[in-house]
Amino acid sequence: MNREVRVRFAPSPTGPLHIGGVRTALYNYLFARQHGGKMILRIEDTDSQRFVPGAEDYINESLAWLGIEIDEGVREGGPYGPYKQSERRDIYREHVKQLLDAGKAYIAFDTPAELEAKRAEIANFQYDASTRTAMRNSLSLPADEVKRLIDAGEQYVVRFRIEPGRDVEVNDLLRGKVTIKSDILDDKVLYKSADDLPTYHLANIVDDHLMKVSHVIRGEEWLPSAPLHVLLYEAFGWADTAPEFVHLPLLLKPDGKGKLSKRDGDRLGFPVFPLEWHDPKSGDVSRGYRESGYLPEAVVNFLALLGWNPGDDTEVMGMDELIAKFSFAHCSRSGARFAFDKGKWFNHTYLQMMPDAELGELFKPVLRANGVNPDDFTDEYISRSAGLVKGRINFVADLWEQAAFFFKAPETYNPKDIKKRWSDETPELMRTLARILDEQPDFTGSVVEPVIMDWIKSNGLHMGNVMNAFRLTVVGECKGPHMFDVSELMGKEETIRRILAGVERIKPADASA
Ligand code: GLU
């Protein structure tokens, strides 16, 4: 069938979007873009009990942050709106009536207490063809009684009338054909008069049909609903245009068995939400990838590979490449372990690929947070300092730990390094070093380095001791990037100032003890 690709991401605004939901949205998006199709965002808010304020904005903000663009939705509009289910009551009412008129659904008056009593009386009670005649519904009660109850304002639900003895076929692009017996299905509630709203099943099917959805790509947890959905398409006479199904495998715990949960994130120290979430009721704050310092490109790349691979070993792929390469043929059917360390690795990798100027811009707020005014330094100084240490960082915030010394001269010096590298002779050597450096007309690292190396060699000095003492005075400890890159960036004046300050302040370990 040559059909326009139209997919939808259909979250319920019941809390922050889980990272597994983000992956579902991403796969929908990749598939839509690859086929030049449309990506719909539909808000499934028919469960008023579970509605959480702020959740819809959170969904929009998360998708926007990750670069998952929506073509049709509540904000974007589109030809098949409204895109929020609570604004589509008339449409659902009409469709419920259609099923009732065709005898494919019926009205049931059983109260929660009555249903409870039945469940207590009959083990594994299921509301279906074998039990419905013994219940209070429009199939078992006379028509005038049904009318009287409705007129009297009695609350009811509409149930789908599932006929037993049928083989229901679900075709899933990942899993192939699955056939189940209709006997195991119950007469699902499609609509509740109490809030005049449909249930998930009815609204979902009606909307997928009216919004001309071609592929339903969603989490595996919805697989059990698929046979019912197939029967609903059929009952409406829409079987010919029913969408293709793809049920994506679960995201699994990084360790042990079972599905990834928020608790795993708390226990192992990684976010399970794209953005920080402030729970409006409890006030609890949950960590987000964005606030934890992840780049959206890294999160997208990491998530794309949780359940899919490009067919070779390629790991680092931007959105365009993912769009070009994505395919259900390379999606896994089994759960994907949430290897959060890999997420860190992707972030590290994307930071390495980022131009230094861009990294420098991201470094500025970190500097500010640590009491350094970035305006006191040139953009070039900031970005080059970031560039020199970026190989050692996983997150932008790590830049401070690695590059703080570029912005603040050391006030203290690492005692272990002093013990190892500073002796009674060191001050004199450092003074000489400062003098030689001062004589250099060109302070470029590659020019200064051979001069210092010559001095060390021709005087039979210990290279490690001299260079580490030099580093100790400038950095405050014996770590950091190549020393002559550091001195070049810091400049002659500041380098010499730090060497001489170190000479004044550092005392050999034994003497100070
Ligand atoms: N509203 C459902 C959810 O929250 C949608 C499931 C589907 O995609 O059919 O995930």
Side-chain angles (χ1 to χ4, degrees), residues 8-14 17 21 24 28 42-46 50 85 200 204-205 208 216-219 221-222 225 229 245 247:
R8 86 302 194 270
F9 179 52
S12 300
T14 54
L17 183 58
T24 299
N28 271 284
R42 185 171 71 221
I43 298 298
E44 301 212 325
D45 59 346
T46 56
R50 295 176 58 219
Q85 290 189 327
Y200 154 73
N204 191 268
I205 266 30
D208 282 347
V216 166
I217 304 165
R218 61 185 171 191
E221 62 274 29
W222 302 99
S225 304
H229 293 184
F245 286 116
H247 290 95

